[in-house]
Each structure stands twice: as structure tokens, then as C-alpha cells.
């Protein structure tokens, strides 16, 4: 199947700093990428839909200014958690949609804010 | 809005046996896609199987097959000849015509040696 990578896989940062997470589709072009958040033993919560060349669409309750999304190319979307706080600690997963409109997921990024 | 329900938070199966994971969904759409994803302890989401709603034939992928009952809005996953590597969280997902994905709450599968 298609391959999606995320970087970094693990990040620890101080409260108040910003963290950027990259999501790349390695062997296909993805006009649409998705960002999810997952708490322990819970399902995936869609945060936003990232469309190449346009503004991201955020789900209700997700702060746009807090979670900045940029989808500058057909293979790369970035999520920046600005002024991170301990409550932002979570597992962030991206996915990319291929031509058959199937989602392929990245391996996730564990964020710990101290 | 579409909802996806997985009523079994946990399931267990003996190695080499067969297990069925349940999933129901609610929708008013006629054209949509259904998926089963597996999330092992590594937390990497892996596509297991997909089903197009317009296809009557149930999808199969090796030891994995589905029982798709469109009228009943049911989409169960059958795992045959269960292996230790099948132990994981399994998420049922619905993709709408608007390309929105909705996930169930997951079923944790334990495989007993």
C-alpha cells in the first residue's frame, strides 16, 4: 500500500514553545491530507482537513491559531502546534488520501509538553 | 451526521480460530465506502480491508473478510485462522460522499496462544 511518513516520531518540548510536525506521502500525490489527534485508548479525532494550495478546514472546537496547518505541496503537509501547553500532549496522526480516496496513515507523532 | 458504532470494546480469540468484529453505522447516503483499520501497539494505522457500498459482493483480503449488510447498515470483520500478530485495536471507518471519515471507538483484539 501507499506510504505516509511523519517527522518527528517523538518530541518533547517546553511549555510555550512551538512544535512543527511534518507529514509526507512518499509514493503518491495527495491533494488532501488529514490531521488527527488520539488520546490513549480512544479513537481518532479529526482535527482538520488539509487541502493542497488552500486553507485547511478545521473541525468544530479546534483552534485555528493554535494548530497551524500548511499544505504547500502535493506530498507535504505540516502541523504546527503554537505556544504548546501540557494539555496539548497527545498522539498526532496524519493521513493522506490517494486517487482511490483511501486514507493511508502516518506512523504518528507523540508530543509531550512539559 | 454519520455515526459509526463498535459495540465490542474488547474481544479475544484463540490462536488459529475465527473471530468476528461488529460494526454498525448510520447514514442517509447511498454511496459511500467502509473500511477496517488495524492499530497495533506501535500505533501505526494499517488498512485491513475496504468495501464500496455499491458492490454487493463482500470484500476479502486473505484471512480477512467482511459481511456487508447494506440494508441493516452492518459491516462486520471476520478474521480467520487468527495469528498472534493480529492482536491490535481495530477501527471501523465510514467515508461519506463528501470524503469525510468517521471512525468507531475501536475494538481491542487479544489473541490467546
Amino acid at each position: 500500500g501507499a506510504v505516509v511518513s511523519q517527522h518527528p516520531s517523538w518530541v518533547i518540548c517546553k511549555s510555550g514553545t512551538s512544535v512543527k510536525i511534518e507529514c509526507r506521502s512518499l509514493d503518491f500525490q495527495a491533494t488532501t491530507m488529514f490531521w488527527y489527534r488520539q488520546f490513549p485508548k480512544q479513537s481518532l479525532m479529526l482535527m482538520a482537513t488539509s487541502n493542497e494550495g488552500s486553507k485547511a478546514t478545521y473541525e468544530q472546537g479546534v483552534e485555528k491559531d493554535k494548530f497551524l496547518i500548511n499544505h504547500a505541496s502535493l506530498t507535504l503537509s505540516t502541523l504546527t502546534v503554537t505556544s504548546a501547553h501540557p494539555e496539548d500532549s497527545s498522539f498526532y496522526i496524519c493521513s493522506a488520501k490517494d486517487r482511490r480516496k483511501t486514507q493511508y496513515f502516518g506512523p504518528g507523532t507523540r508530543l509531550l509538553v512539559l | 451526521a454519520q455515526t459509526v458504532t463498535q459495540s465490542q470494546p474488547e474481544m479475544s480469540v484463540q490462536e488459529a480460530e475465527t473471530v468476528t468484529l461488529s460494526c454498525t453505522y448510520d447514514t442517509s447516503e447511498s454511496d459511500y465506502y467502509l473500511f477496517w483499520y488495524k492499530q497495533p501497539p506501535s500505533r501505526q494505522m494499517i488498512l485491513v480491508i475496504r468495501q464500496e457500498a455499491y458492490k454487493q459482493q463482500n470484500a476479502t483480503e486473505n484471512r480477512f473478510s467482511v459481511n456487508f449488510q447494506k440494508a441493516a447498515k452492518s459491516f462486520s470483520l471476520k478474521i480467520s485462522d487468527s495469528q498472534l500478530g493480529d492482536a491490535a485495536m481495530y477501527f471501523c471507518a465510514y467515508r461519506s460522499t463528501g470524503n469525510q471519515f468517521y471512525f468507531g471507538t475501536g475494538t481491542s483484539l487479544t489473541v490467546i496462544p
Side-chain angles (χ1 to χ4, degrees), chain A residues 76-110:
Chain A
L76 172 64
S77 175
T78 60
L79 168 67
T80 301
V81 183
T82 62
S83 187
H85 290 283
E87 57 265 31
D88 298 324
S89 299
S90 190
F91 190 66
Y92 293 87
I93 305 175
C94 77
S95 70
K97 193 171 65 176
D98 70 358
R99 288 185 180 181
R100 293 182 67 199
K101 300 182 179 179
T102 296
Q103 279 197 86
Y104 294 95
F105 288 84
T109 297
R110 297 175 192 268

Side-chain angles (χ1 to χ4, degrees), chain A residues 1-80:
Chain A
V3 179
V4 176
S5 71
Q6 269 183 255
H7 178 80
S9 57
W10 219 157
V11 57
I12 302 173
C13 68
K14 292 182 179 180
S15 185
T17 61
S18 294
V19 175
K20 180 186 283 188
I21 303 170
E22 293 186 348
C23 177
R24 294 181 186 272
S25 56
L26 298 185
D27 51 0
F28 66 101
Q29 292 183 332
T31 54
T32 304
M33 290 184 174
F34 303 88
W35 287 97
Y36 295 87
R37 186 172 180 176
Q38 187 181 32
F39 292 104
K41 298 189 178 182
Q42 293 189 23
S43 189
L44 282 69
M45 182 191 80
L46 178 65
M47 298 175 66
T49 301
S50 169
N51 296 297
E52 188 267 336
S54 64
K55 291 183 179 180
T57 303
Y58 290 83
E59 295 300 301
Q60 192 172 12
V62 178
E63 298 177 56
K64 300 179 182 180
D65 296 331
K66 175 75 172 176
F67 299 99
L68 300 179
I69 291 172
N70 184 279
H71 193 159
S73 78
L74 288 172
T75 59
L76 172 64
S77 175
T78 60
L79 168 67
T80 301

Side-chain angles (χ1 to χ4, degrees), chain B residues 62-75:
Chain B
N62 300 314
R63 298 182 295 108
F64 299 88
S65 62
V66 298
N67 183 3
F68 174 47
Q69 301 290 327
K70 191 171 183 179
K73 295 178 184 175
S74 171
F75 182 61

Side-chain angles (χ1 to χ4, degrees), chain B residues 1-108:
Chain B
Q2 286 78 9
T3 57
V4 179
T5 302
Q6 291 179 250
S7 59
Q8 306 154 316
E10 298 178 347
M11 290 284 285
S12 62
V13 62
Q14 205 77 32
E15 193 175 5
E17 296 296 311
T18 296
V19 65
T20 299
L21 308 183
S22 302
C23 174
T24 58
Y25 57 94
D26 186 27
T27 184
S28 58
E29 297 177 333
S30 59
D31 187 21
Y32 49 86
Y33 289 74
L34 297 164
F35 303 84
W36 278 98
Y37 283 91
K38 168 185 176 181
Q39 187 179 42
S42 68
R43 302 189 78 174
Q44 167 78 64
M45 294 283 283
I46 301 166
L47 176 65
V48 175
I49 199 165
R50 59 178 266 161
Q51 172 82 45
E52 292 89 340
Y54 63 85
K55 288 188 178 179
Q56 293 185 335
Q57 186 174 7
N58 289 324
T60 61
E61 286 288 345
N62 300 314
R63 298 182 295 108
F64 299 88
S65 62
V66 298
N67 183 3
F68 174 47
Q69 301 290 327
K70 191 171 183 179
K73 295 178 184 175
S74 171
F75 182 61
S76 60
L77 174 70
K78 185 171 83 171
I79 305 174
S80 305
D81 186 26
S82 297
Q83 300 176 358
L84 295 178
D86 295 333
M89 281 288 288
Y90 285 81
F91 291 98
C92 177
Y94 170 102
R95 198 200 86 206
S96 70
T97 52
N99 292 320
Q100 287 276 55
F101 273 77
Y102 301 88
F103 287 87
T105 50
T107 297
S108 177

